[in-house]
């Protein structure tokens, strides 16, 4: 059973790698961004609220995310999981750690895909035309990147400092298959 967290700023390729590794290990891919985007299709009050927050590049509340992830992990925790896009705040990581402790499950690998803002901006603009995601336009890139710097980077630093034997930094400027190879090598090593 393998439990993995992927970190990285928007556009770093964490979703792509999480999907590839999920198929490689045959472990469920839990992307909170994908789950939230599916909820937008409901067109109810919650969906309208989420749409406002997500299209502006801000973070959805910790309570909503913690409840989404814990209900999914109750199902997937026994088979392993790949978390993509969660935890994004220190409150979420606290919640996750308590939740996993209670069910005696630990994280085996934390991959932090690092990339600089210039490469990232170009990639997000390209992805925006391919996937027509409303939150990928130039106006919200900065908000999303700042959310990453203000919140999520603190979370990945927390794991780097406290879980150093499971934490790996990966160069996100490499090609997709090069990044995948690096990740697979790490998975094979242990
Ligand atoms: P992503 O596809 O991971 O880039 O997520 C798209 C958007 O969904 C983010 O910009 C946030 O608005 C929201 N979102 C996804 N995961 C989280 C999270 N863990 N906490 C708060 N908001 C999130």
């Amino acid at each position: 059973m393998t439990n993995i967290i992927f970190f990285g700023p928007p556009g770093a390729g964490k979703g792509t790698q999480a999907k590839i590794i999920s198929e490689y290990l045959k472990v469920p891919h839990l992307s909170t961004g994908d789950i939230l985007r599916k909820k937008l299709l409901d067109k109810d009050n919650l969906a309208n609220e989420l749409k406002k927050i997500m299209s502006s590049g801000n973070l959805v509340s910790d309570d909503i995310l913690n409840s989404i992830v814990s209900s999914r992990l109750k199902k997937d925790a026994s088979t392993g999981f790949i978390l993509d896009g969660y935890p994004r705040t220190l409150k979420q990581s606290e919640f996750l750690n308590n939740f996993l402790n209670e069910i005696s499950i630990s994280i085996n690998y934390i991959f932090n895909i690092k990339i600089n803002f210039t490469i990232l901006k170009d990639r997000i603009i390209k992805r925006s035309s391919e996937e027509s995601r409303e939150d990928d336009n130039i106006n919200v890139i900065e908000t999303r990147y700042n959310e990453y710097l203000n919140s999520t980077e603190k979370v990945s630093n927390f794991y780097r400092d406290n879980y150093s034997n499971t934490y790996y930094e990966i160069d996100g400027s490499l090609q997709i298959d090069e990044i995948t190879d690096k990740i697979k090598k790490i998975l094979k090593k242990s």
Side-chain angles (χ1 to χ4, degrees), residues 14 32-33 36-37 54 58 60 65 85 88 92 133 144:
K14 67 176 164 41
T32 48
L36 289 168
R37 277 184 288 278
M54 290 169 69
N58 290 305
V60 175
L65 267 297
R88 250 171 157 111
Q92 291 177 15
R133 274 176 55 168
R144 298 182 70 211

Side-chain angles (χ1 to χ4, degrees), residues 115-122 124 141-143 145-146:
I115 190 163
N116 78 43
F117 188 56
T118 315
I119 301 180
L120 201 125
K121 218 162 46 174
D122 292 346
I124 293 185
I141 291 171
E142 256 176 49
T143 312
Y145 193 69
N146 285 334

Side-chain angles (χ1 to χ4, degrees), residues 109 111 168 170 182-190:
Y109 300 93
F111 294 113
Y168 300 89
I170 310 279
K182 281 194 185 294
I183 295 172
K184 285 184 180 172
K185 268 200 193 111
I186 294 167
L187 293 172
K188 276 181 191 151
K189 242 191 243 162
S190 41

Side-chain angles (χ1 to χ4, degrees), residues 5-15 84-85 87-88 111-115 120 145 148 152-153 156:
I5 302 179
F6 273 94
F7 283 110
K14 67 176 164 41
D84 161 16
R88 250 171 157 111
F111 294 113
N112 188 10
I113 304 181
K114 298 216 132 185
I115 190 163
L120 201 125
Y145 193 69
Y148 168 77
T152 313
E153 201 167 56
S156 58

Side-chain angles (χ1 to χ4, degrees), residues 13-183:
K14 67 176 164 41
T16 304
Q17 295 300 329
K19 186 168 181 288
I20 295 171
I21 298 301
S22 141
E23 283 158 13
Y24 173 68
L25 294 176
K26 300 190 175 46
V27 159
H29 173 200
L30 209 166
S31 156
T32 48
D34 284 352
I35 294 171
L36 289 168
R37 277 184 288 278
K38 249 185 229 149
K39 285 205 186 293
L40 297 185
L41 303 175
D42 290 347
K43 306 231 181 292
D44 55 11
N45 284 344
L46 175 64
N48 289 339
E49 198 51 42
L50 289 176
K51 192 171 178 190
K52 256 190 260 160
I53 300 169
M54 290 169 69
S55 60
S56 64
N58 290 305
L59 293 182
V60 175
S61 81
D62 290 332
D63 286 347
I64 292 182
L65 267 297
N66 290 341
S67 123
I68 288 175
V69 171
S70 56
S71 64
R72 276 293 295 269
L73 286 185
K74 276 178 195 148
K75 277 199 303 171
D76 291 341
S78 58
T79 50
F81 53 86
I82 296 181
L83 284 175
D84 161 16
Y86 179 96
R88 250 171 157 111
T89 66
L90 286 171
K91 278 216 167 120
Q92 291 177 15
S93 62
E94 236 172 75
F95 177 89
L96 176 68
N97 287 340
N98 289 335
F99 180 82
L100 293 178
N101 274 342
E102 270 172 30
I103 54 175
S104 305
I105 281 190
S106 50
I107 300 295
N108 308 111
Y109 300 93
I110 297 157
F111 294 113
N112 188 10
I113 304 181
K114 298 216 132 185
I115 190 163
N116 78 43
F117 188 56
T118 315
I119 301 180
L120 201 125
K121 218 162 46 174
D122 292 346
R123 279 200 191 164
I124 293 185
I125 291 165
K126 189 164 169 272
R127 185 171 72 179
S128 132
S129 59
E130 287 166 1
E131 294 181 16
S132 62
R133 274 176 55 168
E134 279 189 30
D135 59 349
D136 266 353
N137 68 65
I138 188 78
N139 298 324
V140 292
I141 291 171
E142 256 176 49
T143 312
R144 298 182 70 211
Y145 193 69
N146 285 334
E147 282 287 13
Y148 168 77
L149 291 181
N150 292 332
S151 304
T152 313
E153 201 167 56
K154 293 191 179 76
V155 183
S156 58
N157 288 345
F158 165 80
Y159 285 102
R160 180 196 63 200
D161 298 340
N162 294 282
Y163 293 76
S164 56
N165 52 344
T166 48
Y167 176 91
Y168 300 89
E169 280 185 2
I170 310 279
D171 177 2
S173 69
L174 298 171
Q175 296 299 311
I176 291 176
D177 53 350
E178 292 176 309
I179 298 179
T180 307
D181 283 350
K182 281 194 185 294
I183 295 172

